[in-house]
């Protein structure tokens, strides 16, 4: 006999309880740091696998370190609907980024099972492990594995301690040789859905609990090395210095100006390491990262040209060497219009009087990779002040519960479309 689906309040309470369990696993005491293939990532993956099994999914940890779960549908051979997000974090990150989407997928499947609802298609939930790309210079490597676009060169990439991704993956219990087999067959997925905190202030400003993503911005990342000449801080005259850090500082400000000159574009230097890093030594070299994003591919290309030209001019004027090595680039990814409409229908079905506000995503997500092999859509959830990638990340149980109920109703909407 079919039972009543849980209320948004119940779903929100379940989500926060689950997040409390999942977020016990961290590489740093007192902080939430869970890097790809770390011991904390393995513990979290095992926890997610267990939670999936409790919810009625058949689950396993795959060759690349993602956790995959599946509940079969009533129609044999039907293409699956996948719900995904990630469980890796930035260093000292927030509780909800990625983790909420994984927990939401598990709770949605559990609620439907408990209510006796048999969907005509299988539902899969995936907890990707390398969305943040903090430990290794990759780009969405675990979701790209399922999309069939895994770059084998990533396996030779090294972390700060000199360990290669391949070595870390084997220590984790994964299998570098098994990654190609993770690629999904064309047509095996009907849809990819991802629920995620907005990581921006738009929904809060509009007093909206959820929003539908229209597209994910284009983005590019590079590592930059500036080579100057080290010298004694007390004896090298200012006019004769080749200070790599001063040149770098000017480049950082140039990036800021370039991004500000383009509509809705952003540019960030998140890592900067001067060498040798001593108080009384003029820096002889500096390395830093560049991350820039824009809504349009052509805007991103224009920014890239400007960055190269401005950085080169600064290096030439200051007499320092310059090396720019791009390591990740992603085109703007539009979300599927029909699935956006399905999410809007899910919002209407939820009975919560929410509007179906649509907005772009400035942050990258695993949906970017999955959109290459399946129609993809994302549901954003309001988070306080849009703060993310920070322990100050905050949202309410009520909003989490509403979003999960919308996700459930969207699955029911997709099922109704097959009737």
């Amino acid at each position: 006999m079919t039972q009543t689906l849980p209320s948004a309040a119940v779903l929100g309470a379940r989500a926060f309880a689950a997040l409390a369990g999942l977020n016990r696993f961290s590489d740093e005491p007192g902080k939430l740091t869970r890097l790809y293939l770390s011991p904390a990532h393995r513990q979290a993956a095992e926890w997610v696998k267990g939670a999936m099994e409790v919810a009625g999914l058949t689950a396993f940890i795959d060759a690349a370190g993602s956790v995959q779960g599946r509940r079969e549908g009533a129609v044999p051979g039907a293409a699956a609907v996948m719900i995904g997000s990630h469980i890796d974090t930035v260093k000292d990150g927030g509780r909800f980024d990625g983790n909420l989407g994984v927990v939401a997928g598990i709770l949605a499947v559990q609620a439907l099972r408990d209510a006796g609802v048999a969907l005509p298609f299988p539902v899969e939930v995936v907890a990707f492990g390398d969305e943040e790309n903090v430990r290794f210079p990759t780009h969405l490597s675990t979701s790209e594995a399922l999309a069939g676009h895994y770059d084998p060169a990533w396996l030779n990439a090294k972390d700060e301690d000199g360990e290669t991704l391949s070595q870390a993956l084997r220590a984790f219990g994964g299998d570098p040789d098994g990654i190609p087999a993770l690629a999904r067959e064309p047509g095996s997925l009907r849809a990819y859905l991802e629920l995620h905190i907005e990581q921006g202030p738009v929904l809060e400003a509009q007093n909206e609990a959820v929003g539908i993503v229209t597209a994910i911005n284009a983005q590019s990342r590079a590592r930059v090395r500036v080579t100057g000449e080290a010298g004694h801080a007390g004896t090298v005259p200012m006019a004769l210095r080749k200070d790599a850090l001063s040149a770098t500082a000017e480049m950082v400000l140039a990036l800021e100006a370039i991004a500000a000159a383009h509509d809705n574009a952003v540019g960030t230097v998140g890592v900067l390491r001067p060498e040798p890093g001593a108080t009384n030594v003029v820096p002889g070299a500096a390395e830093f990262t560049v991350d820039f994003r824009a809504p349009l591919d052509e805007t991103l290309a224009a920014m890239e040209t400007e960055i190269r030209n401005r950085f080169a001019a600064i290096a030439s004027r200051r007499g320092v060497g310059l090396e720019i090595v791009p390591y990740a680039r992603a085109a703007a990814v539009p979300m599927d219009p029909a699935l956006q409409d399905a999410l809007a229908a899910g919002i209407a079905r939820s009975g919560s009087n929410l509007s179906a506000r649509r907005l772009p995503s400035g942050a990258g997500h695993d949906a970017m990779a999955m959109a290459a092999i399946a129609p993809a859509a994302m549901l954003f959830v309001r988070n306080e002040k849009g703060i993310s990638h920070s322990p100050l990340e905050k949202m309410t149980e009520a909003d989490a519960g509403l979003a999960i109920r919308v996700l459930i109703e969207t699955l029911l909407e997709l099922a109704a479309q097959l009737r």
Side-chain angles (χ1 to χ4, degrees):
M1 180 178 178
T2 301
Q3 303 296 313
T4 304
L5 289 166
S7 67
V10 169
L11 290 167
R14 289 178 181 176
F16 270 53
L19 288 165
L22 174 57
N23 288 333
R24 290 175 298 158
F25 307 114
S26 174
D27 297 315
E28 293 186 278
K31 300 178 180 180
L32 182 54
T33 299
R34 191 186 303 135
L35 304 187
Y36 178 46
L37 303 179
S38 68
H41 177 207
R42 181 71 202 194
Q43 291 174 317
E46 294 286 0
W47 185 95
V48 168
K49 177 177 177 290
M52 287 181 176
E53 291 169 344
V54 168
L57 296 109
T58 301
F60 67 100
I61 300 174
D62 72 24
S66 295
V67 190
Q68 299 192 42
R70 180 179 172 102
R71 183 186 181 217
E72 294 297 338
V75 178
V81 172
M82 179 183 287
I83 302 167
S85 198
H86 62 96
I87 57 172
D88 63 318
T89 76
V90 298
K91 295 179 179 180
D92 197 14
R95 296 180 293 156
F96 304 102
D97 178 7
N99 297 305
L100 175 65
V102 173
V103 165
I106 295 171
L107 291 177
V109 172
Q110 184 175 15
L112 289 167
R113 181 204 62 181
D114 291 349
V117 176
L119 297 172
F121 46 77
V123 178
E124 299 188 24
V125 180
V126 179
F128 295 111
D130 191 27
E131 193 267 358
E132 299 292 3
N133 315 126
V134 172
R135 183 177 179 186
F136 299 100
T138 57
H139 182 71
L140 306 177
S141 73
T142 47
S143 47
E144 290 287 13
L146 268 63
H149 298 141
Y150 192 92
D151 185 350
W154 287 334
L155 293 170
N156 297 319
K158 295 182 179 180
D159 64 12
E160 293 179 351
D161 297 323
E163 185 175 19
T164 67
L165 194 158
S166 180
Q167 291 169 332
L169 183 56
R170 292 187 189 281
F172 178 89
D175 177 16
D177 296 331
I179 291 176
L182 296 177
R184 292 303 179 91
E185 293 291 331
S188 63
L189 293 179
R190 180 187 178 193
Y192 174 83
L193 301 174
E194 185 165 351
L195 185 154
H196 205 284
I197 58 169
E198 182 194 355
Q199 300 177 284
V202 174
L203 291 175
E204 185 178 56
Q206 299 297 327
N207 195 28
E208 300 283 358
V210 299
I212 299 168
V213 176
T214 55
I216 301 173
N217 286 358
Q219 59 180 277
S220 183
R221 293 176 179 174
R223 298 186 187 280
V224 183
R225 182 171 179 83
V226 178
T227 307
E229 190 173 281
H232 196 292
T235 61
V236 181
M238 298 302 292
L240 298 180
R241 293 187 178 194
K242 295 182 179 180
D243 187 329
L245 185 56
S246 294
T248 294
E250 191 173 346
M251 292 176 192
V252 172
L253 293 176
L255 173 68
E256 181 181 55
I258 291 167
H262 291 83
D263 288 343
N264 298 314
V266 293
T268 304
V269 172
V271 176
L272 195 162
R273 298 188 184 91
E275 299 173 11
T279 303
N280 60 346
V281 179
V282 176
E287 290 189 351
F288 63 101
T289 59
V290 169
D291 178 314
F292 53 104
R293 312 181 189 207
L296 302 174
D297 293 334
E298 50 266 38
T299 304
L300 195 78
M303 291 176 67
E304 185 170 30
T305 298
E306 291 177 49
I307 289 167
R308 286 188 173 276
N309 290 343
R310 290 280 295 276
F311 283 17
I314 292 167
S316 176
R317 175 164 43 81
R318 287 181 169 273
V320 297
L322 174 68
E323 182 183 22
I324 302 176
V325 181
Y327 69 89
R329 185 183 180 89
V333 179
M335 296 289 95
D336 183 75
L339 277 184
Q340 290 183 50
D341 291 344
L343 283 171
I347 290 172
R349 292 173 62 116
S350 70
S352 54
N353 296 318
L354 299 171
S355 74
R357 178 171 296 280
R358 306 198 185 200
L359 70 165
S361 172
H365 300 282
D366 289 299
M368 300 176 77
M370 298 306 297
I373 60 166
M378 291 191 67
L379 183 72
F380 269 171
V381 191
R382 170 174 54 191
N383 67 297
E384 188 173 297
K385 297 179 182 178
I387 295 172
S388 185
H389 284 187
S390 162
L392 299 178
E393 202 171 86
K394 188 176 181 181
M395 66 176 300
T396 66
E397 277 191 21
D399 283 357
L402 283 170
I404 298 169
R405 187 59 191 259
V406 169
L407 181 61
I408 292 170
E409 295 294 344
T410 301
L411 291 173
L412 294 173
E413 171 65 20
L414 292 174
Q417 291 176 8
L418 292 180
R419 296 193 182 106

